[in-house]
Amino acid sequence: MAMVSKVIVVEGKSDKKKLQEVLSEPVHIICTNGTMGISKLDAMLEELIGHKVYIMTDADKAGKTIRSWFKRHLSESRHIYIDPKYCEVGRCPNDYLAKVLMKHEFEVKDGNIAHEHQAVFAWQSAW
């Protein structure tokens, strides 16, 4: 059994599902269900202690509010941001999400990595 050392906090089930499609390593994903408060954070703290905690919320007002809770009450958490053009984690293309997660040292499934060198090669061969 693999030891889970990383935790990603997301807003909803669609975000969790999207991350599960992309990640190849065991990561505990916690949903806030779009809200945050001191009582919810207190309930989460036990699960978060001793883990690397990443916050990956949507690029909207609710996401910013959740991030602010973690910045204030769990300052050692790391924040992963998505491009605002996608707005929601659950709407990000898998290859984009894979690149973002790889920048934060997550292991992703091979099928989600865009092979940019193939696109460059195809472009060069047209000359």
Side-chain angles (χ1 to χ4, degrees):
M1 176 176 228
M3 181 155 161
V4 178
S5 65
K6 297 177 184 175
V7 175
I8 300 178
V9 177
V10 297
E11 288 183 67
K13 292 178 185 177
S14 64
D15 302 334
K16 180 177 180 174
K17 183 179 176 186
K18 180 61 85 166
L19 288 177
Q20 289 171 329
E21 291 174 11
V22 175
L23 290 166
S24 66
E25 69 178 286
V27 176
H28 184 56
I29 304 170
I30 299 174
C31 296
T32 66
N33 297 312
T35 60
M36 200 70 223
I38 198 69
S39 59
K40 188 177 273 193
L41 185 62
D42 282 344
M44 283 186 195
L45 283 179
E46 243 179 80
E47 287 184 78
L48 302 177
I49 293 173
H51 298 285
K52 292 180 184 175
V53 179
Y54 297 84
I55 312 304
M56 190 170 196
T57 59
D58 298 341
D60 60 9
K61 186 177 177 181
K64 289 175 186 175
T65 300
I66 292 168
R67 281 187 193 283
S68 69
W69 276 97
F70 281 96
K71 284 179 180 178
R72 195 172 323 131
H73 299 288
L74 193 64
S75 59
E76 65 272 15
S77 60
R78 297 168 177 99
H79 294 263
I80 303 173
Y81 294 88
I82 62 165
D83 190 317
K85 73 180 177 186
Y86 298 119
C87 193
E88 298 175 12
V89 174
R91 290 186 178 181
C92 292
N94 286 7
D95 62 334
Y96 168 79
L97 209 50
K99 287 178 189 178
V100 170
L101 290 167
M102 287 172 57
K103 287 179 185 176
H104 291 274
E105 300 179 2
F106 284 91
E107 295 174 24
V108 298
K109 297 175 183 169
D110 287 338
N112 292 308
I113 302 170
H115 297 285
E116 292 174 10
H117 65 279
Q118 289 176 348
V120 170
F121 179 73
W123 178 77
Q124 289 174 342
S125 65
W127 286 95

